Amino acid sequence: MLERRRVRRKGAVGAAHPPASRLKATVLVTLPTALVLAGLAVLGLEWADKAFPPPLDKAEDVSAEVLDKDGHLLRAFATKDGRWRLKTTVGDVDPRFVELLIAYEDQRFREHSGIDPLALGRAALQFVTNGRIVSGASTLSMQVARLIEPRERRTLAAKLLQVARAIQIERRLSKNEILNLYLTHAPYGGNLEGVRAASLAWFGKEPRRLSVVEAALLVALPQLPEKRRPDRNLSGAQAARKRVLARAAVARVIGEGEAERAATTAIPARRLQLPAHAAHLAEAALRKEPKVLRHQTTLRRDIQRALEDVAREGAARLGPRVSVAMVMADVRTGEIVGEVGSADYFDASRSGWIDMTRITRSPGSTLKPFIYGLAFEEGLVAQETIIEDRPADFFGYRPRNFDMTYQGDVSVRQALQLSLNVPAIRLLDAVGPARLMVRFRRAEVRPKLPPNEAPGLAIGLGGVGITLRELVQLYAGLANRGWPVRLGDGIEGKAGLIDGEPILSTVAAWHVADILSGVLPPAGSRQRGIAYKTGTSYGYRDAWSVGFDGRHVLGVWVGRPDNGAVPGLTGYGAAAPILFEGFARSGIAIAPLPDAPGGAVRLSQADLPISQRRFSMTASGLLSASIREAAPQIVFPPEGARVELGARGGAMMPLTLKLQGGRAPFRWLANGRPLPDVTRRRVSQWLPDGGGYSTLTVIDALGRAASVRVFVD
C-alpha cells in the first residue's frame, strides 16, 4: 500500500512538469520572436533617427565676422534674429574654461553617450526624497539639443525629446564638435550667445586667455542668463560664480586657496560694445560675398584702431560737420593696412556713413611732386636750379600762389617745399600736361577731367578729380622708387607691383622724396623722418596730406562730405597734423627712406652745368633768348629702343649717342646724372652701369633739351 502511494506521488510530480521536448519547443518559438521584435525595434529606431534627424543645420546660423590680416576680429554682424552669436570652437577658448565647464555641468561628459545614467538616478532619488527637483541631470549634449531646438514649456514630453536628441547628436558628432556647439550657442543674457561674444562683451577680449575668475563667470551665466547678468544682478552673478569655483575645487580642477581668492575678485558691472572697426570696409566685404561668414582683410587691427581714434579726435578739433578719411598702405606689397572712411561711422552730423576714401575730390597741390619728378627726369632742372616765382600769363591762364604773394627767384627745391604755384605751372608747361596724365595711367590711376576737356595746366593745381585711395596709390609708386604699386581693396589679395614702366625714374623719384623729406612738420608735430606733401582745394573744401617713409604711405583727407566750404581749412593746418599723429600712434616703426641710387647727386648751384643753373622757359613756353637754331634732337638711339650691350654677361659695351640740331656745347645726362664731359661734338658715348630702362637727355647751350628712353640688355 505504501509502495503504491509512493508510485502515485512520483507520477503526480512528473505530471506537473512538461517534458524536455515541450520546453525546447517553447524556446525555439519565443527566442526568434524576441529577436525579430528586437530587430524591428532597432530598425524602427534607425528609421526614426534618419526620418527625424536633429536640426543641426540651425546651428550654422552665426554672426558674420570681418577679421584683420592676423585673424583678429574687426567687426561682427548680428544674425537675422538680432543675436551676437560668434562661431566658437574648443581651440578658441582657454583650456581652463573647458575644464571648469565639464567639472560643473557634466563631469562624465567624455564617457557617456548623451545621457548620464548616474546623474539621472541621483536626480530621481533626490526628487523622491525631497519632493522637488534638487539637481538636474542634463548633460552638455542634452543642453546642446535644447539650444538648437528650443522648447516652449518644460514638459515630460519635451524632456524625453531632449534625451532622444542628445543620443542622436552623440551618434553624429564627436565630443569636441558637441562642445563647439555649446560654446557657440550658450545663452549669456540679452542678445549675447556663445562664449566669444560674452567674453568680448564682459571682458573686452577674446576667450583664448582667461583667468580663473573670468572662466568661472562664463561657466555660471548660461544657467540663468537673465537673472545672473552682472549689469543687472551683480550679487547673483557673484554667488553663481562662487558655486562654480567651489565645485571646481572639489573636482580638483583648481586648488581651494585659488577658489577662495578668486571669489573675492570684482566682476565687471558694465557690458562693453563688441568690436566695430573698419565699418565701411567691413560692409563692403559683406556686400561682396554675403554668404561668407568669415571675411579676411589685409588690415592690421592695432593700426586700424589707432587711425580711427586719430580721425575721430581730429574731426572733433576741427569743428562740426567736418569729417576725416585716412588710408595707410604698405608700399612694397600694396596691401592696405589701415583705412578710415569717416571720422565716425555712427555720427550723422558728419555723414559718417559715407566712405570718403572713394569719393572724387580736387587734390589741390598734391600732384605737384610728379610735375617736378618729370622735370628732373627730363634733365630740365636740378634741385638747386633757379626758377622764377613771379606773376605769369600762360595763354590766358594766370596762376597765383595760395597766399597771393610771390617769392621772386627761388630754387626748385624751395619751390616744391613751399608749394609755390607759378613755378609748378612753369614746369608743367615745359613737360606737358598730357605726359603727366600718361604717367598717372602707368600707376592705373585716371584722374577725372571736366567733361569734354583735354588735360590742361590747371591739373597741376588740382583741376582734376581724384579719390584718396588713388592718391595714396600714386604716392606708393613714388615711395617705391618710382615703380607703380597697385593697392588692394583691403579684402582680397590683388595688390602688388604693376607690370610696365615706372611713374618716374628711380633718380627722379629720389630727388622728389629728398625734397619732400625736408619739409618742416606742422606746428606742434615732431619730425618723424617722413617725406610729405599737403594740398588745399579751391574754396577751402578739401585739405590733403600724403606722407611716406621707406615702408608705408599714409594719406589724409579732411573736409565736409557735402562738399561745403570750411573757412580757413588748409592741408598744412588741418590734414598735416593728423598725418603726423597717424604715423606716431599707428605703432609702426619708421623705416628710413631709400638711399640715393646710382647717378643721383644733389649738386650745389655752382656745380651745376650752365644750362641747369637757371630754368629759362618763359610763361608762354618759349625760350627767353632769341633762338635761330633748331632745338636738339637725339637721332640715336631712338625712343623706346632695346639695345644689346652685354648687360647680362657682365662685360658692358658703350652706347653711341648721336644728335642733330641745338647749339653747342652739349651736356648729356643719363638718368638725371650729368656725364663727365661737356662736348661740342654731336656724337658721344655712354657706358651704362647696369641693364634695364634708362633715360638719356641732352641739353644745349640755350637750355633746350631732348630725351629718349631705352632698355639696355
Side-chain angles (χ1 to χ4, degrees):
M1 194 68 180
L2 185 59
E3 282 295 323
R4 195 175 290 173
R5 289 177 180 171
R6 289 177 179 173
V7 170
R8 286 178 180 174
R9 282 179 187 160
K10 289 180 180 179
V13 173
H17 295 278
S21 60
R22 184 179 297 177
L23 180 61
K24 183 177 181 181
T26 302
V27 171
L28 290 175
V29 172
T30 305
L31 184 59
T33 302
L35 291 175
V36 169
L37 291 174
L40 290 174
V42 171
L43 290 175
L45 290 174
E46 286 289 339
W47 174 84
D49 181 59
K50 294 178 180 178
F52 304 100
L56 295 176
D57 56 327
K58 293 183 180 179
E60 298 302 317
D61 182 19
V62 296
S63 295
E65 300 177 38
V66 179
L67 312 174
D68 80 344
K69 185 176 183 178
D70 300 319
H72 299 130
L73 181 65
L74 290 172
R75 187 182 180 187
F77 292 86
T79 60
K80 293 179 180 179
D81 57 355
R83 303 283 178 175
W84 295 111
R85 187 183 299 132
L86 307 181
K87 187 174 183 179
T88 313
T89 67
V90 174
D92 295 327
V93 300
D94 195 304
R96 181 73 66 91
F97 170 82
V98 177
E99 293 176 5
L100 287 174
L101 175 66
I102 293 175
Y104 187 74
E105 292 284 1
D106 190 356
Q107 293 185 17
R108 285 173 288 279
F109 172 70
R110 299 289 184 185
E111 288 78 40
H112 65 65
S113 299
I115 57 175
D116 186 350
L118 294 177
L120 281 172
R122 183 196 69 239
L125 180 61
Q126 290 174 338
F127 179 77
V128 171
T129 304
N130 297 277
R132 60 183 178 85
I133 297 175
V134 176
S135 63
S138 292
T139 62
L140 285 171
S141 304
M142 292 169 65
Q143 293 184 48
V144 166
R146 185 180 72 248
L147 292 173
I148 65 175
E149 194 175 20
R151 62 182 187 270
E152 294 182 3
R153 292 183 299 172
R154 299 184 65 179
T155 63
L156 180 60
K159 196 68 175 179
L160 291 176
L161 176 61
Q162 188 183 123
V163 169
R165 289 301 197 203
I167 295 172
Q168 287 181 300
I169 290 171
E170 287 274 354
R171 296 184 65 185
R172 287 168 169 78
L173 303 178
S174 68
K175 291 293 185 179
N176 275 356
E177 288 172 332
I178 294 171
L179 277 176
N180 293 346
L181 289 178
Y182 179 86
L183 297 175
T184 300
H185 292 269
Y188 280 91
N191 61 350
L192 291 178
E193 291 188 5
V195 175
R196 284 184 61 211
S199 182
L200 288 166
W202 296 118
F203 311 131
K205 67 179 184 180
E206 293 279 356
R208 292 188 183 90
R209 295 289 182 271
L210 295 172
S211 66
V212 172
V213 178
E214 294 167 339
L217 180 63
L218 295 181
V219 169
L221 292 181
Q223 297 297 312
L224 293 169
E226 292 301 329
K227 292 184 178 180
R228 295 177 178 177
R229 284 179 56 171
D231 58 340
R232 294 186 178 179
N233 186 0
L234 189 60
S235 61
Q238 290 173 331
R241 184 188 67 176
K242 187 175 182 179
R243 286 193 292 272
V244 172
L245 292 169
R247 189 173 298 182
V250 171
R252 296 186 179 179
V253 175
I254 60 175
E256 291 186 8
E258 188 177 9
E260 292 176 359
R261 288 192 300 272
T264 62
T265 305
I267 289 178
R270 184 173 63 90
R271 173 175 161 174
L272 306 175
Q273 280 191 337
L274 267 64
H277 302 300
H280 299 92
L281 185 64
E283 291 196 343
L286 206 62
R287 288 193 301 269
K288 191 171 186 177
E289 295 182 282
K291 295 183 179 180
V292 174
L293 293 176
R294 301 197 116 189
H295 303 266
Q296 192 89 22
T297 70
T298 60
L299 303 184
R300 289 170 54 189
R301 186 179 62 182
D302 292 345
I303 293 177
Q304 180 66 28
R305 189 161 48 195
L307 294 184
E308 288 178 2
D309 291 342
V310 170
R312 184 176 58 255
E313 295 166 11
R317 290 194 302 267
L318 293 169
R321 306 179 73 178
V322 175
S323 191
V324 175
M326 307 174 76
V327 175
M328 177 177 274
D330 187 320
V331 301
R332 300 179 190 175
T333 65
E335 291 183 342
I336 293 177
V337 298
E339 179 177 295
V340 182
S342 66
D344 187 344
Y345 181 84
F346 301 102
D347 189 344
S349 68
R350 303 180 194 274
S351 301
W353 62 86
I354 300 177
D355 184 356
M356 295 306 299
T357 68
R358 301 170 184 267
I359 302 300
T360 301
R361 290 298 183 92
S362 166
S365 298
T366 56
L367 300 182
K368 286 179 182 175
F370 301 94
I371 299 173
Y372 284 82
L374 267 178
F376 286 131
E377 188 176 301
E378 293 295 325
L380 298 179
V381 295
Q383 288 197 38
E384 298 304 324
T385 298
I386 298 300
I387 191 168
E388 291 184 5
D389 178 37
R390 294 183 176 85
D393 186 335
F394 297 85
F395 300 102
Y397 179 58
R398 300 179 179 87
R400 294 177 295 181
N401 288 326
F402 185 80
D403 60 1
M404 306 301 292
T405 64
Y406 298 91
Q407 303 294 318
D409 284 353
V410 294
S411 69
V412 164
R413 182 180 179 88
Q414 292 172 326
L416 179 53
Q417 289 181 342
L418 297 174
S419 195
L420 301 177
N421 288 344
V422 176
I425 298 304
R426 290 184 188 278
L427 293 178
L428 180 58
D429 188 43
V431 299
R435 293 189 66 192
L436 183 65
M437 297 292 280
V438 168
R439 297 306 177 98
F440 293 159
R441 285 198 291 272
R442 289 183 184 179
E444 297 183 355
V445 172
R446 290 171 171 77
K448 294 177 177 58
L449 292 165
N452 303 318
E453 284 196 17
L457 296 179
I459 67 176
L461 304 182
V464 290
I466 197 169
T467 69
L468 178 59
R469 276 174 171 250
E470 291 172 330
L471 191 61
V472 170
Q473 183 159 311
L474 279 177
Y475 273 80
L478 181 60
N480 192 40
R481 297 174 179 262
W483 290 97
V485 179
R486 180 187 300 109
L487 298 191
D489 60 3
I491 303 170
E492 55 185 2
K494 290 187 178 179
L497 292 178
I498 297 173
D499 294 333
E501 297 184 272
I503 308 174
L504 296 171
S505 70
T506 302
V507 172
W510 178 85
H511 278 297
V512 172
D514 183 55
I515 292 174
L516 296 181
S517 66
V519 179
L520 292 175
S525 300
R526 184 170 62 87
Q527 179 61 264
R528 306 202 63 83
I530 62 174
Y532 82 105
K533 182 72 181 73
T534 61
T536 307
S537 69
Y538 178 77
Y540 300 99
R541 287 176 170 82
D542 309 276
W544 305 81
S545 186
V546 190
F548 57 91
D549 64 359
R551 184 62 187 267
H552 294 95
V553 57
L554 174 60
V556 176
W557 170 88
V558 178
R560 282 176 48 169
D562 62 2
N563 205 28
V566 182
L569 183 75
T570 66
Y572 189 77
I578 294 175
L579 175 84
F580 275 73
E581 192 173 359
F583 268 109
R585 292 170 59 177
S586 66
I588 64 170
I590 298 297
L593 292 167
D595 295 331
V601 290
R602 184 176 160 190
L603 300 175
S604 66
Q605 190 192 25
D607 293 330
L608 290 175
I610 295 176
S611 58
Q612 281 193 327
R613 292 181 183 177
R614 186 179 189 90
F615 183 69
S616 57
M617 302 290 281
T618 66
S620 65
L622 300 175
L623 290 171
S624 57
S626 175
I627 300 172
R628 300 178 183 274
E629 299 91 349
Q633 180 182 0
I634 300 174
V635 294
F636 188 87
E639 173 66 26
R642 195 179 189 100
V643 292
E644 178 67 43
L645 299 178
R648 297 178 182 177
M652 189 75 72
M653 298 170 54
L655 174 65
T656 299
L657 311 176
K658 299 180 181 180
L659 68 89
Q660 64 183 19
R663 177 181 293 184
F666 304 104
R667 164 71 74 176
W668 285 90
L669 298 93
N671 297 319
R673 181 180 182 181
L675 298 189
D677 300 316
V678 176
T679 180
R680 305 188 69 85
R681 300 181 58 192
R682 299 182 184 273
V683 178
S684 298
Q685 286 191 330
W686 166 58
L687 183 63
D689 55 5
Y693 281 104
S694 291
T695 299
L696 299 172
T697 302
V698 64
I699 304 173
D700 73 356
L702 298 177
R704 296 172 297 178
S707 296
V708 295
R709 187 169 176 78
V710 298
F711 188 91
V712 177
D713 272 336

